[in-house]
Amino acid sequence: MPEAPEVEAVVRALRPLVNGRTIRACRVIHPVATKPQSPGDLGKALRGNRISEVTRRGKYLLLKLSRGSLVFHFKFDGQLLWFDRPPARDVHVDVFFFLDRGILGYADPRHLGRANWAVDPDKVPGLRALGVDVFSRGFTASALTNILSGSRHPVKLLLMDQKKIAGLGNIYSSEALWHARLDPRRIARRVKPAESRRLHKAIVSTARRALECCCHPAPDFRNPDWWFADLSRILRVYGQDGQPCRRCGGRINRIQLGGRSSYFCPRCQR
DNA sequence: CCTGCTACCTGATGGC
DNA sequence: TGCCATCAGGTAGCAG
């Protein structure tokens, strides 16, 4: 579940399922999913803990426990599942968390994501380093202007830098730049104040619209094949190289920026 | 510090 | 069908 809107939708759907429940035990099927923690340590830390909060920071999902937190990062393909009873063995699950009612599953066929316990999530390096969350009140136009000022990076790389803005990824940074009519290669410190304000609006509205889309229909943890329904209906440039621009009819380009594919319309994004 | 490259993984897709 | 290359919504770790 890649970017903040997806994770936020999962948080909201997960909350009523797990809040107030107690973790009785966990079972690690693929130990890579808890690295560098050993399955034994994870189980020991979790057993008997009550889940008191379900929250998100950037692209991380956190279950606050009586002691410490269970921290998920889904990378590209990680997902959560819900079972009333243990599933058939052909369902890919990396870690089972047996609650006092129901079973939470964590699965990532690509094994890039992680599920870890931390006594204090503020000490987890990746979490501690996060910049202002894209959904937070602190993400203001002037905050964005400050982030852009002084950087010689292409603006898209800054939008994707979790230490600057937490929660945007490759899709929604491309989309926000399209809505703001800014070329993703523009050097951040050369973005003018009016453009920066435009970009801020575009980021906020893109993220909000994505969240709406991710919540309807709500994530269905009971179906292992479930994924966010047809996000492409809100996408304007991402993955559309060669297609005509929905705004000006120009031809959408794909370029590499920081090792990632970036999509934009060279005619109306400047 | 900053910056750019690579590793980490598996699966889907498309060309030949 | 098989085989190979390429691509994928991300980040940590490394060398320079």
Side-chain angles (χ1 to χ4, degrees), chain A residues 47-117:
Chain A
R47 200 162 304 130
N49 267 277
R50 182 174 176 275
I51 300 167
S52 60
E53 258 181 68
V54 184
T55 57
R56 176 192 61 79
R57 290 198 224 165
K59 302 171 190 173
Y60 291 81
L61 185 148
L62 296 92
L63 302 186
K64 186 165 190 275
L65 308 173
S66 337
R67 178 160 184 275
S69 295
L70 177 53
V71 179
F72 294 95
H73 196 299
F74 302 106
K75 294 289 175 79
F76 287 109
D77 297 328
Q79 62 172 322
L80 294 176
L81 302 169
W82 185 260
F83 308 102
D84 296 316
R85 58 191 59 81
R89 252 181 312 186
D90 59 345
V91 180
H92 180 110
V93 178
D94 292 308
V95 187
F96 289 105
F97 303 93
F98 298 96
L99 310 185
D100 49 355
R101 196 188 62 205
I103 304 168
L104 180 66
Y106 167 75
D108 180 358
R110 213 164 147 188
H111 293 147
L112 291 176
R114 292 291 182 267
N116 292 113
W117 178 81

Side-chain angles (χ1 to χ4, degrees), chain A residues 9 19 21 33 38 52 67 101 108 122 132 142 150 180 212 251:
Chain A
N19 221 356
R21 305 259 64 96
S38 78
S52 60
R67 178 160 184 275
R101 196 188 62 205
D108 180 358
D122 293 324
V132 59
S142 66
E212 271 306 296
R251 193 186 174 79

Side-chain angles (χ1 to χ4, degrees), chain A residues 2-7 59 134-135 156 159-160 167-179 199 202-203 206-207 209-211 213-214 228 231-232 234-235 237-238:
Chain A
E3 308 183 30
E6 287 83 353
V7 181
K59 302 171 190 173
V134 66
F135 282 120
K156 175 159 179 284
L159 300 192
M160 293 183 60
L168 287 182
N170 203 26
I171 292 187
Y172 299 130
S173 52
S174 269
E175 290 295 310
L177 286 162
W178 182 85
H179 285 286
L199 179 57
I203 292 170
T206 299
R209 198 173 320 118
L211 175 58
C213 189
C214 289
F228 294 95
L231 286 181
S232 60
I234 61 167
L235 301 185
V237 276
Y238 184 83

